[in-house]
Structures are given as C-alpha cells and as structure tokens.
Amino acid sequence: LACDELIRVAGKHGFQFWQVVAQLQMGATMVRVEGSPAAIDRLDTAITVYRTYGAHALVPSLLLEQAEGCMRAGALDEADRCIEDALAYEFQRYARAEGLRLRAELRAARGAGADGDRSAMAADLCEAYDVASAQPAPHLVHLVAESHRRLVGGEPLGAR
C-alpha cells in the first residue's frame, strides 16, 4: 500500500511528521474498511501524535471517521468523545455539518426516544443542513436530509 511505502521511506530519511501523516491515512482507511477495535486504536494514536506536532488540519474529519468506526463497533461513549472533540474545532467549519449529523445519529443509536432527545436530534440536523447548504456541500446536504427523514420525520428540511 502507498501508506506503508510512505511510512517506510519517511522512516528511512527521518521524516517523522510524514510518517504520522501516513499513519493517519492508514488508520482512517482501516477504520472505514475493517472497523476493528485495533483500527480505531491505530487512528486514535495517530491523531494524538499528529496533534503533538501542533497540527490541526483535517483533525475534525479524522475524528469523525473515528467516531463512525466507534459507532459501528458499539463504543458509543468513545464515539461521543470524538464527535464533541471534532465540533470543538470552531475555526474549521468544513466538518461541522457532518459532526452535527453524526451527533444526531449517535443520539438515535443510544435509543433516544424522549421528546427532548428527539428535539435535540432535530436541532442538530437543522443546523447541519444550514451549514452544509451555506458551504455549499450538496453531498452533505443529502446525507443530513436522509438522516432527518429517518430519525425525525415530518417536514423535509429543505421545505422550511
């Protein structure tokens, strides 16, 4: 794999930062393909090391990849930590819509059935729709609208 080769070459020449970048990509790919606890841990470690370099670019989207893997693995508390960490990156709004959508999905995965939980899901999805529409990010608009249809129902988001 290209990531393995980058890790090898970067290690050979002492480019530790690029080794970490390759570890991030490898971890995110493994989480997406395998979804195993080992893959999730590998991505978590790579994100932690990447941050020690003071790097923040792409961290929100990597955290959301990790959160999705955690949700598939049933590690809902860890998924919540990743989502909230990603949403805390106020200065990187590109991942905000997806973070809000995943937070609503997480509420549903936890069995949110109370009216307050349903309202919170709806609020997250409405904000996600507004953010994705303003960017504009048509793919995210579609994902958010589909989550809203499944989780909340009622009037479609684009109709409000």
Side-chain angles (χ1 to χ4, degrees):
L1 294 170
C3 292
D4 289 328
E5 184 64 10
L6 180 54
I7 291 166
R8 186 189 69 73
V9 171
K12 177 180 175 183
H13 297 287
F15 300 140
Q16 290 89 7
F17 179 78
W18 292 107
Q19 278 185 302
V20 173
V21 170
Q23 291 286 351
L24 288 168
Q25 185 59 48
M26 180 67 83
T29 300
M30 289 174 63
V31 166
R32 179 66 61 171
V33 172
E34 296 174 15
S36 68
I40 294 166
D41 288 344
R42 183 174 186 166
L43 179 56
D44 187 57
T45 298
I47 292 169
T48 299
V49 173
Y50 184 67
R51 286 172 154 177
T52 66
Y53 284 102
H56 296 283
L58 301 177
V59 169
S61 56
L62 292 164
L63 287 165
L64 296 176
E65 287 287 340
Q66 184 179 354
E68 281 190 282
C70 290
M71 287 170 65
R72 284 192 308 273
L76 302 184
D77 289 340
E78 183 62 13
D80 185 46
R81 181 195 66 78
C82 293
I83 292 167
E84 293 306 320
D85 195 357
L87 289 172
Y89 277 80
E90 289 286 327
F91 59 95
Q92 292 190 40
R93 295 193 46 88
Y94 73 92
R96 185 158 184 81
E98 181 63 358
L100 291 163
R101 186 187 76 78
L102 285 178
R103 187 164 66 185
E105 293 283 353
L106 178 62
R107 291 178 203 270
R110 285 190 161 147
D115 287 340
D117 291 333
R118 189 175 169 88
S119 294
M121 281 190 290
D124 280 345
L125 292 168
C126 286
E127 183 182 347
Y129 186 86
D130 290 344
V131 170
S133 295
Q135 286 178 337
H139 178 68
L140 284 174
V141 168
H142 172 75
L143 290 176
V144 170
E146 179 57 26
S147 289
H148 186 273
R149 184 194 62 74
R150 268 186 312 97
L151 303 177
V152 178
E155 185 177 329
L157 284 172
R160 31 180 203 112

mmCIF file of all heavy atoms in Angstrom, residues 24-66:
data_model
loop_
_atom_site.group_PDB
_atom_site.id
_atom_site.type_symbol
_atom_site.label_atom_id
_atom_site.label_comp_id
_atom_site.label_asym_id
_atom_site.label_seq_id
_atom_site.Cartn_x
_atom_site.Cartn_y
_atom_site.Cartn_z
ATOM 1 N N LEU A 24 -2.051 8.391 9.820
ATOM 2 C CA LEU A 24 -3.421 8.926 9.832
ATOM 3 C C LEU A 24 -4.236 8.336 8.685
ATOM 4 O O LEU A 24 -5.363 7.876 8.878
ATOM 5 C CB LEU A 24 -3.412 10.455 9.710
ATOM 6 C CG LEU A 24 -2.944 11.250 10.910
ATOM 7 C CD1 LEU A 24 -2.711 12.701 10.521
ATOM 8 C CD2 LEU A 24 -3.936 11.137 12.052
ATOM 9 N N GLN A 25 -3.653 8.367 7.497
ATOM 10 C CA GLN A 25 -4.363 7.850 6.325
ATOM 11 C C GLN A 25 -4.604 6.356 6.457
ATOM 12 O O GLN A 25 -5.695 5.864 6.163
ATOM 13 C CB GLN A 25 -3.572 8.152 5.038
ATOM 14 C CG GLN A 25 -4.310 7.751 3.794
ATOM 15 C CD GLN A 25 -5.650 8.463 3.658
ATOM 16 O OE1 GLN A 25 -5.752 9.670 3.810
ATOM 17 N NE2 GLN A 25 -6.700 7.712 3.377
ATOM 18 N N MET A 26 -3.595 5.638 6.905
ATOM 19 C CA MET A 26 -3.735 4.194 7.080
ATOM 20 C C MET A 26 -4.796 3.896 8.131
ATOM 21 O O MET A 26 -5.648 3.025 7.935
ATOM 22 C CB MET A 26 -2.402 3.571 7.493
ATOM 23 C CG MET A 26 -2.477 2.073 7.693
ATOM 24 S SD MET A 26 -2.770 1.165 6.180
ATOM 25 C CE MET A 26 -1.110 1.085 5.578
ATOM 26 N N GLY A 27 -4.762 4.622 9.246
ATOM 27 C CA GLY A 27 -5.749 4.406 10.304
ATOM 28 C C GLY A 27 -7.160 4.690 9.841
ATOM 29 O O GLY A 27 -8.088 3.907 10.088
ATOM 30 N N ALA A 28 -7.349 5.813 9.134
ATOM 31 C CA ALA A 28 -8.689 6.166 8.640
ATOM 32 C C ALA A 28 -9.193 5.127 7.642
ATOM 33 O O ALA A 28 -10.370 4.739 7.670
ATOM 34 C CB ALA A 28 -8.665 7.557 8.007
ATOM 35 N N THR A 29 -8.302 4.655 6.784
ATOM 36 C CA THR A 29 -8.688 3.629 5.810
ATOM 37 C C THR A 29 -9.064 2.333 6.514
ATOM 38 O O THR A 29 -10.077 1.704 6.184
ATOM 39 C CB THR A 29 -7.537 3.388 4.809
ATOM 40 O OG1 THR A 29 -7.271 4.616 4.123
ATOM 41 C CG2 THR A 29 -7.896 2.308 3.807
ATOM 42 N N MET A 30 -8.262 1.931 7.501
ATOM 43 C CA MET A 30 -8.549 0.695 8.233
ATOM 44 C C MET A 30 -9.872 0.793 8.988
ATOM 45 O O MET A 30 -10.631 -0.171 9.036
ATOM 46 C CB MET A 30 -7.400 0.371 9.192
ATOM 47 C CG MET A 30 -6.135 -0.088 8.494
ATOM 48 S SD MET A 30 -4.747 -0.299 9.643
ATOM 49 C CE MET A 30 -5.351 -1.615 10.692
ATOM 50 N N VAL A 31 -10.144 1.960 9.575
ATOM 51 C CA VAL A 31 -11.417 2.142 10.287
ATOM 52 C C VAL A 31 -12.577 2.005 9.310
ATOM 53 O O VAL A 31 -13.575 1.346 9.592
ATOM 54 C CB VAL A 31 -11.459 3.497 11.022
ATOM 55 C CG1 VAL A 31 -12.867 3.845 11.466
ATOM 56 C CG2 VAL A 31 -10.511 3.484 12.205
ATOM 57 N N ARG A 32 -12.436 2.607 8.141
ATOM 58 C CA ARG A 32 -13.511 2.565 7.141
ATOM 59 C C ARG A 32 -13.711 1.149 6.608
ATOM 60 O O ARG A 32 -14.831 0.689 6.454
ATOM 61 C CB ARG A 32 -13.169 3.536 6.006
ATOM 62 C CG ARG A 32 -14.144 3.598 4.878
ATOM 63 C CD ARG A 32 -15.481 4.142 5.218
ATOM 64 N NE ARG A 32 -15.432 5.503 5.691
ATOM 65 C CZ ARG A 32 -16.516 6.221 5.877
ATOM 66 N NH1 ARG A 32 -17.698 5.723 5.619
ATOM 67 N NH2 ARG A 32 -16.434 7.441 6.339
ATOM 68 N N VAL A 33 -12.613 0.432 6.344
ATOM 69 C CA VAL A 33 -12.699 -0.892 5.724
ATOM 70 C C VAL A 33 -12.975 -1.980 6.754
ATOM 71 O O VAL A 33 -13.861 -2.818 6.559
ATOM 72 C CB VAL A 33 -11.403 -1.200 4.937
ATOM 73 C CG1 VAL A 33 -11.381 -2.640 4.448
ATOM 74 C CG2 VAL A 33 -11.248 -0.235 3.781
ATOM 75 N N GLU A 34 -12.219 -1.987 7.845
ATOM 76 C CA GLU A 34 -12.326 -3.059 8.846
ATOM 77 C C GLU A 34 -13.284 -2.714 9.980
ATOM 78 O O GLU A 34 -14.069 -3.550 10.406
ATOM 79 C CB GLU A 34 -10.966 -3.339 9.495
ATOM 80 C CG GLU A 34 -9.894 -3.853 8.608
ATOM 81 C CD GLU A 34 -8.569 -3.947 9.351
ATOM 82 O OE1 GLU A 34 -8.549 -3.882 10.601
ATOM 83 O OE2 GLU A 34 -7.554 -4.078 8.672
ATOM 84 N N GLY A 35 -13.098 -1.509 10.508
ATOM 85 C CA GLY A 35 -13.890 -1.102 11.660
ATOM 86 C C GLY A 35 -13.530 -1.829 12.941
ATOM 87 O O GLY A 35 -14.290 -1.807 13.903
ATOM 88 N N SER A 36 -12.372 -2.461 12.968
ATOM 89 C CA SER A 36 -11.974 -3.239 14.142
ATOM 90 C C SER A 36 -11.499 -2.319 15.265
ATOM 91 O O SER A 36 -11.070 -1.187 15.014
ATOM 92 C CB SER A 36 -10.845 -4.201 13.774
ATOM 93 O OG SER A 36 -9.662 -3.483 13.474
ATOM 94 N N PRO A 37 -11.562 -2.792 16.506
ATOM 95 C CA PRO A 37 -11.013 -2.001 17.615
ATOM 96 C C PRO A 37 -9.540 -1.653 17.399
ATOM 97 O O PRO A 37 -9.111 -0.552 17.740
ATOM 98 C CB PRO A 37 -11.204 -2.908 18.830
ATOM 99 C CG PRO A 37 -12.394 -3.751 18.479
ATOM 100 C CD PRO A 37 -12.249 -4.000 16.995
ATOM 101 N N ALA A 38 -8.770 -2.561 16.789
ATOM 102 C CA ALA A 38 -7.352 -2.279 16.522
ATOM 103 C C ALA A 38 -7.211 -1.123 15.535
ATOM 104 O O ALA A 38 -6.330 -0.259 15.697
ATOM 105 C CB ALA A 38 -6.659 -3.530 15.988
ATOM 106 N N ALA A 39 -8.065 -1.078 14.520
ATOM 107 C CA ALA A 39 -8.028 0.008 13.549
ATOM 108 C C ALA A 39 -8.400 1.334 14.213
ATOM 109 O O ALA A 39 -7.769 2.365 13.964
ATOM 110 C CB ALA A 39 -8.962 -0.293 12.380
ATOM 111 N N ILE A 40 -9.413 1.299 15.057
ATOM 112 C CA ILE A 40 -9.845 2.509 15.771
ATOM 113 C C ILE A 40 -8.723 3.005 16.674
ATOM 114 O O ILE A 40 -8.423 4.204 16.709
ATOM 115 C CB ILE A 40 -11.138 2.236 16.560
ATOM 116 C CG1 ILE A 40 -12.290 1.960 15.591
ATOM 117 C CG2 ILE A 40 -11.476 3.402 17.489
ATOM 118 C CD1 ILE A 40 -13.525 1.359 16.236
ATOM 119 N N ASP A 41 -8.069 2.096 17.389
ATOM 120 C CA ASP A 41 -6.952 2.469 18.252
ATOM 121 C C ASP A 41 -5.786 3.038 17.449
ATOM 122 O O ASP A 41 -5.132 3.988 17.875
ATOM 123 C CB ASP A 41 -6.472 1.266 19.077
ATOM 124 C CG ASP A 41 -7.448 0.874 20.170
ATOM 125 O OD1 ASP A 41 -8.337 1.683 20.501
ATOM 126 O OD2 ASP A 41 -7.311 -0.256 20.686
ATOM 127 N N ARG A 42 -5.532 2.451 16.282
ATOM 128 C CA ARG A 42 -4.439 2.938 15.440
ATOM 129 C C ARG A 42 -4.703 4.376 14.996
ATOM 130 O O ARG A 42 -3.803 5.211 15.026
ATOM 131 C CB ARG A 42 -4.265 2.020 14.230
ATOM 132 C CG ARG A 42 -3.114 2.417 13.343
ATOM 133 C CD ARG A 42 -2.877 1.418 12.250
ATOM 134 N NE ARG A 42 -1.681 1.768 11.508
ATOM 135 C CZ ARG A 42 -1.081 0.960 10.681
ATOM 136 N NH1 ARG A 42 -1.529 -0.261 10.494
ATOM 137 N NH2 ARG A 42 -0.020 1.360 10.032
ATOM 138 N N LEU A 43 -5.925 4.655 14.586
ATOM 139 C CA LEU A 43 -6.263 6.018 14.181
ATOM 140 C C LEU A 43 -6.189 6.960 15.371
ATOM 141 O O LEU A 43 -5.659 8.071 15.255
ATOM 142 C CB LEU A 43 -7.644 6.065 13.534
ATOM 143 C CG LEU A 43 -8.128 7.443 13.073
ATOM 144 C CD1 LEU A 43 -7.132 8.092 12.110
ATOM 145 C CD2 LEU A 43 -9.511 7.332 12.436
ATOM 146 N N ASP A 44 -6.686 6.545 16.518
ATOM 147 C CA ASP A 44 -6.641 7.380 17.718
ATOM 148 C C ASP A 44 -5.200 7.741 18.074
ATOM 149 O O ASP A 44 -4.901 8.905 18.360
ATOM 150 C CB ASP A 44 -7.316 6.654 18.890
ATOM 151 C CG ASP A 44 -7.441 7.536 20.108
ATOM 152 O OD1 ASP A 44 -8.046 8.627 20.002
ATOM 153 O OD2 ASP A 44 -6.924 7.146 21.177
ATOM 154 N N THR A 45 -4.313 6.767 18.032
ATOM 155 C CA THR A 45 -2.895 7.012 18.336
ATOM 156 C C THR A 45 -2.292 7.979 17.327
ATOM 157 O O THR A 45 -1.573 8.914 17.704
ATOM 158 C CB THR A 45 -2.111 5.682 18.346
ATOM 159 O OG1 THR A 45 -2.648 4.849 19.366
ATOM 160 C CG2 THR A 45 -0.629 5.904 18.588
ATOM 161 N N ALA A 46 -2.595 7.781 16.049
ATOM 162 C CA ALA A 46 -2.050 8.667 15.013
ATOM 163 C C ALA A 46 -2.547 10.105 15.193
ATOM 164 O O ALA A 46 -1.767 11.054 15.044
ATOM 165 C CB ALA A 46 -2.411 8.135 13.628
ATOM 166 N N ILE A 47 -3.827 10.268 15.526
ATOM 167 C CA ILE A 47 -4.360 11.618 15.757
ATOM 168 C C ILE A 47 -3.648 12.262 16.947
ATOM 169 O O ILE A 47 -3.267 13.438 16.895
ATOM 170 C CB ILE A 47 -5.890 11.585 15.978
ATOM 171 C CG1 ILE A 47 -6.622 11.192 14.703
ATOM 172 C CG2 ILE A 47 -6.396 12.944 16.477
ATOM 173 C CD1 ILE A 47 -8.105 10.888 14.897
ATOM 174 N N THR A 48 -3.457 11.504 18.010
ATOM 175 C CA THR A 48 -2.779 12.028 19.199
ATOM 176 C C THR A 48 -1.364 12.478 18.864
ATOM 177 O O THR A 48 -0.944 13.582 19.240
ATOM 178 C CB THR A 48 -2.762 10.957 20.317
ATOM 179 O OG1 THR A 48 -4.118 10.632 20.649
ATOM 180 C CG2 THR A 48 -2.042 11.462 21.554
ATOM 181 N N VAL A 49 -0.625 11.656 18.149
ATOM 182 C CA VAL A 49 0.757 12.006 17.779
ATOM 183 C C VAL A 49 0.764 13.211 16.849
ATOM 184 O O VAL A 49 1.567 14.132 17.014
ATOM 185 C CB VAL A 49 1.483 10.794 17.156
ATOM 186 C CG1 VAL A 49 2.849 11.196 16.610
ATOM 187 C CG2 VAL A 49 1.628 9.666 18.170
ATOM 188 N N TYR A 50 -0.126 13.235 15.868
ATOM 189 C CA TYR A 50 -0.246 14.355 14.924
ATOM 190 C C TYR A 50 -0.457 15.662 15.677
ATOM 191 O O TYR A 50 0.169 16.683 15.371
ATOM 192 C CB TYR A 50 -1.407 14.054 13.990
ATOM 193 C CG TYR A 50 -1.669 15.033 12.872
ATOM 194 C CD1 TYR A 50 -0.767 15.201 11.829
ATOM 195 C CD2 TYR A 50 -2.862 15.739 12.822
ATOM 196 C CE1 TYR A 50 -1.034 16.061 10.783
ATOM 197 C CE2 TYR A 50 -3.150 16.598 11.779
ATOM 198 C CZ TYR A 50 -2.230 16.759 10.757
ATOM 199 O OH TYR A 50 -2.506 17.614 9.719
ATOM 200 N N ARG A 51 -1.307 15.633 16.673
ATOM 201 C CA ARG A 51 -1.568 16.838 17.469
ATOM 202 C C ARG A 51 -0.348 17.270 18.270
ATOM 203 O O ARG A 51 -0.185 18.460 18.544
ATOM 204 C CB ARG A 51 -2.749 16.602 18.410
ATOM 205 C CG ARG A 51 -4.081 16.598 17.715
ATOM 206 C CD ARG A 51 -5.157 16.159 18.676
ATOM 207 N NE ARG A 51 -6.454 16.689 18.318
ATOM 208 C CZ ARG A 51 -7.564 16.405 18.966
ATOM 209 N NH1 ARG A 51 -7.556 15.601 20.018
ATOM 210 N NH2 ARG A 51 -8.716 16.901 18.572
ATOM 211 N N THR A 52 0.497 16.333 18.671
ATOM 212 C CA THR A 52 1.702 16.727 19.422
ATOM 213 C C THR A 52 2.642 17.565 18.567
ATOM 214 O O THR A 52 3.461 18.301 19.100
ATOM 215 C CB THR A 52 2.474 15.509 19.982
ATOM 216 O OG1 THR A 52 3.003 14.738 18.908
ATOM 217 C CG2 THR A 52 1.618 14.676 20.901
ATOM 218 N N TYR A 53 2.515 17.455 17.251
ATOM 219 C CA TYR A 53 3.292 18.295 16.339
ATOM 220 C C TYR A 53 2.656 19.679 16.183
ATOM 221 O O TYR A 53 3.168 20.513 15.444
ATOM 222 C CB TYR A 53 3.406 17.648 14.958
ATOM 223 C CG TYR A 53 4.396 16.516 14.896
ATOM 224 C CD1 TYR A 53 3.962 15.199 14.911
ATOM 225 C CD2 TYR A 53 5.763 16.758 14.821
ATOM 226 C CE1 TYR A 53 4.873 14.151 14.848
ATOM 227 C CE2 TYR A 53 6.680 15.719 14.766
ATOM 228 C CZ TYR A 53 6.225 14.419 14.773
ATOM 229 O OH TYR A 53 7.112 13.386 14.718
ATOM 230 N N GLY A 54 1.526 19.902 16.829
ATOM 231 C CA GLY A 54 0.820 21.171 16.705
ATOM 232 C C GLY A 54 -0.048 21.240 15.463
ATOM 233 O O GLY A 54 -0.533 22.304 15.091
ATOM 234 N N ALA A 55 -0.232 20.118 14.817
ATOM 235 C CA ALA A 55 -1.017 20.070 13.581
ATOM 236 C C ALA A 55 -2.505 19.916 13.918
ATOM 237 O O ALA A 55 -2.870 19.161 14.817
ATOM 238 C CB ALA A 55 -0.547 18.909 12.719
ATOM 239 N N HIS A 56 -3.312 20.659 13.188
ATOM 240 C CA HIS A 56 -4.761 20.579 13.387
ATOM 241 C C HIS A 56 -5.529 20.385 12.084
ATOM 242 O O HIS A 56 -6.712 20.078 12.117
ATOM 243 C CB HIS A 56 -5.270 21.843 14.088
ATOM 244 C CG HIS A 56 -4.728 21.999 15.459
ATOM 245 N ND1 HIS A 56 -5.191 21.286 16.542
ATOM 246 C CD2 HIS A 56 -3.714 22.767 15.935
ATOM 247 C CE1 HIS A 56 -4.513 21.605 17.616
ATOM 248 N NE2 HIS A 56 -3.609 22.502 17.279
ATOM 249 N N ALA A 57 -4.856 20.580 10.949
ATOM 250 C CA ALA A 57 -5.525 20.409 9.662
ATOM 251 C C ALA A 57 -6.071 18.990 9.557
ATOM 252 O O ALA A 57 -5.384 18.024 9.886
ATOM 253 C CB ALA A 57 -4.552 20.682 8.518
ATOM 254 N N LEU A 58 -7.303 18.882 9.165
ATOM 255 C CA LEU A 58 -8.012 17.614 8.950
ATOM 256 C C LEU A 58 -8.390 16.870 10.232
ATOM 257 O O LEU A 58 -9.061 15.846 10.158
ATOM 258 C CB LEU A 58 -7.214 16.671 8.039
ATOM 259 C CG LEU A 58 -6.895 17.218 6.660
ATOM 260 C CD1 LEU A 58 -6.036 16.219 5.896
ATOM 261 C CD2 LEU A 58 -8.157 17.535 5.884
ATOM 262 N N VAL A 59 -7.990 17.343 11.390
ATOM 263 C CA VAL A 59 -8.300 16.622 12.629
ATOM 264 C C VAL A 59 -9.805 16.419 12.802
ATOM 265 O O VAL A 59 -10.235 15.308 13.133
ATOM 266 C CB VAL A 59 -7.662 17.297 13.862
ATOM 267 C CG1 VAL A 59 -8.194 16.702 15.161
ATOM 268 C CG2 VAL A 59 -6.135 17.156 13.810
ATOM 269 N N PRO A 60 -10.650 17.434 12.570
ATOM 270 C CA PRO A 60 -12.087 17.181 12.748
ATOM 271 C C PRO A 60 -12.612 16.036 11.881
ATOM 272 O O PRO A 60 -13.358 15.179 12.358
ATOM 273 C CB PRO A 60 -12.734 18.517 12.365
ATOM 274 C CG PRO A 60 -11.683 19.530 12.640
ATOM 275 C CD PRO A 60 -10.392 18.847 12.263
ATOM 276 N N SER A 61 -12.229 15.990 10.612
ATOM 277 C CA SER A 61 -12.737 14.914 9.762
ATOM 278 C C SER A 61 -12.164 13.565 10.167
ATOM 279 O O SER A 61 -12.856 12.541 10.103
ATOM 280 C CB SER A 61 -12.482 15.196 8.279
ATOM 281 O OG SER A 61 -11.116 15.406 8.042
ATOM 282 N N LEU A 62 -10.927 13.530 10.642
ATOM 283 C CA LEU A 62 -10.347 12.270 11.130
ATOM 284 C C LEU A 62 -11.060 11.800 12.393
ATOM 285 O O LEU A 62 -11.324 10.607 12.563
ATOM 286 C CB LEU A 62 -8.857 12.443 11.379
ATOM 287 C CG LEU A 62 -8.016 12.649 10.116
ATOM 288 C CD1 LEU A 62 -6.640 13.200 10.478
ATOM 289 C CD2 LEU A 62 -7.907 11.364 9.316
ATOM 290 N N LEU A 63 -11.381 12.739 13.269
ATOM 291 C CA LEU A 63 -12.136 12.384 14.471
ATOM 292 C C LEU A 63 -13.513 11.836 14.123
ATOM 293 O O LEU A 63 -14.006 10.901 14.768
ATOM 294 C CB LEU A 63 -12.274 13.597 15.390
ATOM 295 C CG LEU A 63 -11.013 14.016 16.138
ATOM 296 C CD1 LEU A 63 -11.176 15.427 16.708
ATOM 297 C CD2 LEU A 63 -10.688 13.021 17.237
ATOM 298 N N LEU A 64 -14.125 12.386 13.086
ATOM 299 C CA LEU A 64 -15.446 11.902 12.678
ATOM 300 C C LEU A 64 -15.355 10.520 12.032
ATOM 301 O O LEU A 64 -16.255 9.696 12.205
ATOM 302 C CB LEU A 64 -16.130 12.912 11.763
ATOM 303 C CG LEU A 64 -16.446 14.258 12.443
ATOM 304 C CD1 LEU A 64 -17.042 15.237 11.449
ATOM 305 C CD2 LEU A 64 -17.336 14.073 13.656
ATOM 306 N N GLU A 65 -14.262 10.256 11.314
ATOM 307 C CA GLU A 65 -14.029 8.889 10.810
ATOM 308 C C GLU A 65 -13.919 7.926 11.984
ATOM 309 O O GLU A 65 -14.492 6.834 11.967
ATOM 310 C CB GLU A 65 -12.738 8.827 9.979
ATOM 311 C CG GLU A 65 -12.823 9.469 8.639
ATOM 312 C CD GLU A 65 -13.645 8.691 7.637
ATOM 313 O OE1 GLU A 65 -13.864 7.472 7.810
ATOM 314 O OE2 GLU A 65 -14.080 9.309 6.652
ATOM 315 N N GLN A 66 -13.179 8.343 13.005
ATOM 316 C CA GLN A 66 -13.019 7.509 14.195
ATOM 317 C C GLN A 66 -14.369 7.314 14.887
ATOM 318 O O GLN A 66 -14.708 6.201 15.313
ATOM 319 C CB GLN A 66 -12.008 8.140 15.151
ATOM 320 C CG GLN A 66 -11.708 7.300 16.358
ATOM 321 C CD GLN A 66 -10.674 7.944 17.270
ATOM 322 O OE1 GLN A 66 -10.090 8.975 16.958
ATOM 323 N NE2 GLN A 66 -10.450 7.335 18.415
#
